[in-house]
Amino acid sequence: MRPILVCCDRDGTINRDDNNLYLGKSPDWKSQIEILPGVASGILKINEIPDSHLVVVTNQSGVAIADSEFAELTEERVGEVNFEIGSRLRAKGCRIDGFFVCPYVDSAYVAQARDRGRTINPDYIQDGCRDLKPNTGLLEKAAAKVGLELNQCSLYVIGDRFTDVEMGLNGGGVGILVESPKTRELGDLKKTRKLMSEHPGQVYVADAFDAAARTIVELAAARTD
């Protein structure tokens, strides 16, 4: 059997992400962290799967925004937020094998940001960046962290955005969308359901993180690889 690599999105999947919170830009960011229901119990279920590894993979576009209200949201602050989230989950017995971050944005994001009156730091603009979801760079780094190549793993990606599901497919694995208000508002739920019909057995929709974890447990138990 191949080792199992589960890659979880962060904001909106593990912790609440209401109204474009950009966790970390506010001085009171620790008080804004809210681990979503079912996350800890879901991670514990995944941790029980033999030869499994669980990591967090997250795009952090707020780092690229140069406006004054984002001045505190640096790569270092993202690391501090990740450490705090990890500590809270580990206190509940969860095992997390690493956090992997992409702070870069592409030209399409820059255009949208300018439409909203925001300024982007040019140092963080990288078209074609392999780490930017739905590309697979973060997945490859996660696999390397646990001593594997990506193609040696049975891959599962959990997230609340369509790009998370796409990343799972691009990595040769399974993508599981966790429903949230944002997925419905942005049309990601509709797009994911279409993808389900195009990739049967590789795309799933769950109403919460623990339901996504149960899907992974069931799929892992049925593996023949």
Side-chain angles (χ1 to χ4, degrees), residues 175-195:
I176 305 176
L177 182 79
V178 177
E179 288 188 60
S180 72
K182 186 179 289 186
T183 63
R184 292 182 286 274
E185 173 190 341
L186 299 177
D188 284 4
L189 179 58
K190 182 178 180 181
K191 289 189 288 186
T192 299
R193 291 200 182 281
K194 181 176 183 295
L195 210 58

Side-chain angles (χ1 to χ4, degrees), residues 14 69 71 73 77 80 85 90 93 138-139 143 145 159 166 168 189 209:
I14 287 178
E69 66 176 297
L73 187 49
R77 173 60 59 80
E80 293 171 4
I85 291 173
R90 291 182 181 109
L138 293 184
L139 303 182
K145 174 70 180 297
E166 285 185 301
L189 179 58
F209 190 98

Side-chain angles (χ1 to χ4, degrees), residues 136-201:
T136 59
L138 293 184
L139 303 182
E140 292 159 6
K141 290 179 178 179
K145 174 70 180 297
V146 297
L148 298 165
E149 298 286 341
L150 188 57
N151 61 12
Q152 295 175 313
C153 305
S154 289
L155 172 69
Y156 302 88
V157 176
I158 305 174
D160 71 324
R161 298 300 309 276
F162 182 66
T163 50
D164 295 306
V165 178
E166 285 185 301
M167 182 169 65
L169 291 178
N170 290 341
V174 171
I176 305 176
L177 182 79
V178 177
E179 288 188 60
S180 72
K182 186 179 289 186
T183 63
R184 292 182 286 274
E185 173 190 341
L186 299 177
D188 284 4
L189 179 58
K190 182 178 180 181
K191 289 189 288 186
T192 299
R193 291 200 182 281
K194 181 176 183 295
L195 210 58
M196 286 176 70
S197 65
E198 298 170 352
H199 299 272

Side-chain angles (χ1 to χ4, degrees), residues 17-23 25 118 182:
D17 182 33
D18 294 337
N19 301 317
N20 294 315
L21 181 62
Y22 288 100
L23 190 59
K25 75 180 178 69
R118 287 177 174 162
K182 186 179 289 186

Side-chain angles (χ1 to χ4, degrees), residues 48-109:
E48 292 175 355
I49 302 173
D51 203 8
S52 66
H53 309 275
L54 184 143
V55 302
V56 177
V57 291
T58 175
N59 284 355
Q60 290 295 316
S61 59
V63 173
I65 300 175
D67 300 347
S68 58
E69 66 176 297
F70 287 82
E72 294 190 31
L73 187 49
T74 61
E75 290 187 65
E76 291 75 19
R77 173 60 59 80
V78 171
E80 293 171 4
V81 173
N82 288 340
F83 182 83
E84 180 68 19
I85 291 173
S87 296
R88 294 189 189 188
L89 289 169
R90 291 182 181 109
K92 296 178 182 293
C94 299
R95 187 185 76 248
I96 299 176
D97 294 301
F99 284 79
F100 300 87
V101 177
C102 178
Y104 299 103
V105 299
D106 58 17
S107 296
Y109 182 94

